[in-house]
């Protein structure tokens, strides 16, 4: 009996093969060690190391888990204990426009008219052969007593050449007398559709242009050649990398611009992901109730380009609509009259019926819709249009967006989450400087201003939040954006306690709006936005740890290293 048992045991052992040792992973192209890695993954938010192979993350976690991915040819990068975050994504950008402004006069921090005039004078002196003197970024609050700018203000510093200065928000332009002449703007020039040539009491153009009237002057300025435009885009892309931006979503675009991006990709010079929304121009009958003929051609072109540019670096599939203007110029569409112009509720670009018809046509084609809506009426009518499209075409993953959402009625808050609408907002527009607390708030009064940039309220309601800059309307720094989102203060720390402090976000919430939320808004959340196995290795190593520095210093940060698909596109000090 004992012998029989022994035989049976031996037989059983012989039939059970040993478990083979796991094959070692293929050596990574790069391993990042020694970091404090914020992954953005709620289930596993922190790690010490990650490995990259063929542009994607193949391991992330403790260093002991990543070590097996290191081979003889693996590049090793020591983060030196610094914070590593997913690549930052800007959801509202104007790359071609900003690139063309790189050599223009920068007026973003010009506090008053004498400073604007000084900068224009010096720029004109340094560029004696430029056919136009160009600049951008002036604030409405910089003019004495909040008055509109005049051509005489610019004639005083440059009268021999045309001068064109674009307001910081892009919705107003300022030209000198020569600029009016070059643009063909005279006393008898009619206001264009949805635009305004500001005139004095005698009917003469003052030099200020609003909304579509801006194109009268801007259209007269010579455009860069294709080669010049490619070079300008390269310069702008280098700025993105220096700011830790690995992707931007262009809130304006054309077929020609997409071709430029594709050329940069072909040359190996494209250092960020570019998702572009094609521009829907409001035709003359957009203020009527009927659909317009241009819609069919727009839909056809958008669908064609979506197929031609599917990503991952050059991508489209969205259309941008501009529903209204801006509050500072009293052109944003409001439900009630402006506090400082009681006869006006703004300048909507569409009737609610025409807006709904356009959205419905784009939605039927499977396109994502971004709608610039700043005033509370524009926000409501856009939500109405999105709701009508969903009702007409049934459930699908739309991710339609409202860009800016500067003020909205509280009854509309819950509709964002219910309809799945992304609130694509720009924190730097809410920096509480004089332009904001005096000019902007004064235009609509305290009650409506109390709901300004209500990203905290929207997030608490369950809405998807995605942040951007609107560059070159303001600077592109996401660190400045984090500062305003978290503090609701200027860089100087005012006002005490923050402007509308109930809207403040935590650092983690604000960072999510630049990473996971932004990726979701651009349909790349399965590929980017967090540092997880299988996703692209888009990441940033920061000089300062945003979770540890005082909140008042969030704006004063720096990207020491920026990586896109495992490729280092910016490196400074690490």
């Amino acid at each position: 009996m004992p012998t029989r048992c022994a035989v049976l045991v031996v037989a059983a052992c012989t039939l059970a093969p040993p478990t083979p040792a796991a094959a070692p992973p293929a050596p990574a192209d790069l391993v990042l060690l020694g970091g404090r890695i914020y992954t953005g993954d709620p289930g596993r938010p922190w790690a010490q190391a990650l490995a990259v192979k063929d542009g994607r993350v193949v391991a992330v976690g403790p260093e002991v888990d990543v070590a097996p991915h290191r081979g003889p040819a693996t590049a090793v990068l020591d983060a030196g204990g610094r914070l590593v975050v997913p690549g930052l994504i800007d959801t509202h950008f104007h790359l071609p426009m900003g690139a063309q402004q790189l050599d223009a006069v920068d007026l973003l921090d010009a506090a008053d008219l004498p400073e604007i005039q000084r900068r224009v004078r010096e720029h004109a002196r340094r560029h004696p052969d430029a056919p136009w003197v160009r600049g951008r970024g002036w604030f409405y609050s910089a003019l004495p007593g909040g008055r509109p700018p005049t051509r005489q203000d610019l004639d005083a510093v440059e009268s021999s050449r045309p001068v064109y200065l674009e307001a910081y928000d892009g919705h107003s332009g300022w030209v000198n007398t020569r600029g009016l002449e070059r643009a063909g703007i005279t006393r008898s020039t009619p206001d264009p559709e949805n635009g305004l040539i500001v005139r004095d009491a005698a009917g003469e153009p003052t030099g200020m242009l609003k909304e579509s009237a801006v194109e009268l002057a801007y259209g007269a300025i010579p455009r860069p050649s294709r080669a010049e435009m490619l070079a300008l885009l390269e310069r702008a892309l280098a700025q993105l990398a220096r700011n830790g931006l690995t992707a931007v979503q262009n809130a304006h675009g054309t077929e020609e611009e997409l071709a430029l991006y594709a050329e940069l990709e072909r040359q190996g010079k494209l250092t960020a992901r570019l998702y572009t929304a094609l521009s829907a121009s409001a035709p003359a009958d957009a203020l009527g109730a009927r659909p317009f003929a241009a819609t069919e051609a727009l839909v056809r072109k958008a669908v064609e380009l979506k197929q031609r540019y599917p990503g991952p670096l050059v991508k489209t599939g969205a259309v941008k609509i501009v529903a209204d203007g801006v509050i500072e110029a009293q052109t944003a569409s409001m439900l009630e009259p402006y506090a400082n112009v009681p006869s006006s509720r703004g300048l909507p670009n569409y009737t609610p019926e025409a807006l709904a018809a356009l959205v419905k046509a784009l939605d039927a084609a499977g396109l994502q819709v971004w709608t610039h809506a700043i005033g509370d009426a524009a926000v409501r009518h856009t939500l109405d249009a999105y709701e009508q499209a969903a009702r007409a075409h049934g459930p699908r993953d739309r991710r339609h967006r409202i860009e800016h959402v500067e003020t909205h009625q509280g009854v509309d808050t819950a509709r964002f989450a219910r309809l799945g609408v992304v609130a694509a907002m720009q924190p730097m527009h809410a920096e509480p400087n004089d332009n904001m607390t005096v000019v902007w708030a004064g235009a609509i009064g305290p009650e409506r201003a109390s709901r300004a940039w209500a990203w905290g309220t929207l997030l608490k309601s369950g809405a998807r939040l995605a942040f951007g800059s609107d560059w070159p309307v303001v600077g592109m720094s996401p660190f400045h954006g984090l500062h305003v989102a978290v503090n609701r203060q200027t860089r100087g720390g005012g006002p005490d306690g923050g402007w509308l402090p109930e809207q403040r976000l935590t650092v983690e919430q604000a960072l999510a709006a630049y990473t996971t939320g932004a990726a979701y808004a651009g349909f790349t959340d399965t590929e980017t936005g967090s540092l997880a196995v299988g996703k692209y290795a888009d990441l940033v190593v920061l000089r300062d740890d945003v979770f540890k520095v005082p909140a008042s210093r969030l704006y004063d940060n720096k990207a020491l290293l920026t990586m896109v698909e495992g490729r280092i596109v910016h490196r400074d000090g690490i």
Side-chain angles (χ1 to χ4, degrees):
M1 192 70 174
T3 305
R4 206 162 40 245
C5 288
V7 171
L8 288 171
V9 170
V10 171
C13 292
T14 304
L15 292 173
T19 302
D29 299 322
L30 178 144
V31 167
L32 185 148
L33 303 171
R36 197 171 107 87
I37 301 175
Y38 178 72
T39 67
D41 181 353
R44 195 178 186 183
W46 294 100
Q48 297 174 314
L50 61 79
V52 180
K53 178 72 173 175
D54 296 328
R56 294 183 182 267
V57 176
V58 292
V60 59
E63 289 193 5
V64 66
D65 290 352
V66 175
H69 294 265
R70 185 171 171 178
T74 300
V76 178
L77 180 64
D78 187 349
R82 293 186 174 90
L83 180 68
V84 182
V85 298
L88 302 173
I89 303 169
D90 190 309
T91 63
H92 195 104
F93 217 73
H94 299 278
L95 182 60
M97 182 173 75
Q100 292 181 64
Q101 298 285 352
L102 289 175
D103 292 325
V105 189
D106 183 0
L107 303 171
L108 277 174
D109 59 348
D112 52 30
L113 178 60
E115 177 62 14
I116 292 172
Q117 291 173 318
R118 183 189 68 80
R119 294 188 189 187
V120 171
R121 183 185 297 111
E122 290 186 359
H123 184 86
R125 179 179 52 79
R126 291 196 304 269
H127 300 85
D129 299 325
W132 283 69
V133 177
R134 297 179 57 194
R136 79 162 329 277
W138 57 271
F139 284 94
Y140 300 91
S141 58
L143 280 297
R147 69 163 173 82
T150 68
R151 56 189 171 87
Q152 290 87 353
D153 294 328
L154 297 180
D155 290 343
V157 295
E158 177 59 61
S159 59
S160 61
R161 283 180 290 171
V163 177
Y164 173 77
L165 305 180
E166 189 172 280
Y168 84 102
D169 56 20
H171 288 257
S172 296
W174 179 9
V175 291
N176 64 353
T177 299
R178 187 70 70 185
L180 288 171
E181 293 172 356
R182 191 66 60 85
I185 300 172
T186 68
R187 182 172 183 166
S188 60
T189 303
D191 289 339
E193 189 78 25
N194 301 320
L196 183 65
I197 301 169
V198 180
R199 306 171 195 272
D200 61 22
E204 294 293 335
T206 64
M208 185 178 183
L209 309 170
K210 294 185 179 184
E211 300 304 332
S212 63
V214 167
E215 290 298 324
L216 298 175
Y218 189 73
I221 301 173
R223 293 290 176 268
S225 68
R226 189 172 190 274
E228 289 170 336
M229 197 64 220
L230 286 168
L232 288 168
L233 287 170
E234 281 190 65
R235 289 172 58 189
L237 287 166
Q239 284 197 25
L240 263 67
R242 288 195 294 272
N243 280 277
L245 292 168
T246 59
V248 298
Q249 297 169 12
N250 282 308
H252 170 275
T254 65
E255 182 175 5
E256 292 72 24
E257 290 163 359
L258 286 164
L260 289 174
Y261 307 152
E263 176 61 20
L264 289 172
E265 181 181 15
R266 189 189 67 79
Q267 296 178 12
K269 297 177 179 178
L270 189 57
T271 54
R273 303 179 192 284
L274 305 179
Y275 178 34
T276 296
L278 301 175
S279 304
S281 299
D285 57 354
L287 290 171
R290 63 191 185 283
F292 31 86
T295 302
E296 186 178 340
L298 172 65
V299 170
R300 240 189 348 259
K301 178 57 69 176
V303 170
E304 174 201 332
L305 293 175
K306 179 181 180 179
Q307 295 168 349
R308 196 189 311 173
Y309 298 107
L313 290 180
V314 182
K315 173 184 168 184
T316 187
V319 171
K320 161 84 176 297
I321 301 170
V322 179
D324 67 344
V326 294
I327 286 172
E328 296 91 326
Q330 298 86 46
T331 55
S333 181
M334 306 299 297
L335 292 167
E336 300 296 333
Y338 279 87
N340 60 351
V341 186
S343 61
S344 174
R345 296 189 185 193
L347 289 175
N349 291 326
Y350 302 85
T351 64
E353 296 81 6
L355 179 62
L358 176 55
V359 168
K360 193 176 293 185
L362 297 170
D363 183 80
L367 297 163
Q368 187 186 32
V369 182
W370 307 7
T371 303
H372 163 121
I374 283 180
D376 54 12
V379 171
R380 176 167 297 175
H381 296 154
T382 301
L383 289 168
D384 290 344
Y386 290 165
E387 187 162 17
Q388 290 176 43
R391 195 160 52 237
H393 303 139
R396 74 173 177 87
D397 189 10
R398 290 177 166 81
R399 307 191 194 184
H400 294 334
R401 303 163 37 155
I402 297 185
E403 311 295 310
H404 307 305
V405 201
E406 292 191 4
T407 184
H408 72 284
Q409 293 286 337
V411 295
D412 290 321
T413 298
R415 300 178 70 195
F416 281 81
R418 178 166 61 81
L419 297 172
V421 174
V422 177
M425 305 176 78
Q426 301 76 46
M428 281 181 278
H429 285 331
E431 185 169 12
N433 50 33
D434 285 348
N435 189 74
M436 183 53 48
T437 59
V438 178
V439 179
W440 187 94
I444 59 174
E447 196 275 329
R448 287 177 291 190
S450 71
R451 298 188 296 276
W453 284 276
W455 48 63
T457 298
L458 285 163
L459 191 63
K460 287 174 186 173
S461 75
R464 296 273 189 170
L465 195 62
F467 279 165
S469 65
D470 206 3
W471 188 77
V473 172
V474 294
M476 67 171 70
S477 169
F479 312 118
H480 187 182
L482 281 172
H483 171 85
V484 178
V486 171
N487 297 295
R488 301 282 291 204
Q489 291 178 319
T490 65
R491 281 175 286 186
D496 289 342
W499 183 49
L500 306 177
E502 66 275 11
Q503 300 300 338
R504 291 180 300 192
L505 301 180
T506 67
V507 170
E508 190 167 13
Q509 288 170 333
L511 186 60
Y514 278 109
T515 53
T516 52
Y520 178 88
F523 283 98
T524 62
D525 48 310
T526 61
E527 301 285 326
T528 69
S530 62
L531 296 172
V533 172
K535 289 193 173 185
Y536 285 115
D538 295 0
L539 59 83
V540 187
V541 180
L542 299 179
R543 182 192 65 196
D544 302 325
D545 190 327
V546 297
F547 294 99
K548 294 182 177 181
V549 297
S552 61
R553 302 301 300 174
L554 282 170
Y555 71 88
D556 185 26
N557 207 340
K558 181 179 179 182
L560 298 182
L561 181 140
T562 305
M563 183 183 295
V564 177
E565 291 189 12
R567 172 189 172 195
I568 297 174
V569 297
H570 165 71
R571 191 169 188 171
D572 181 13
I574 188 171

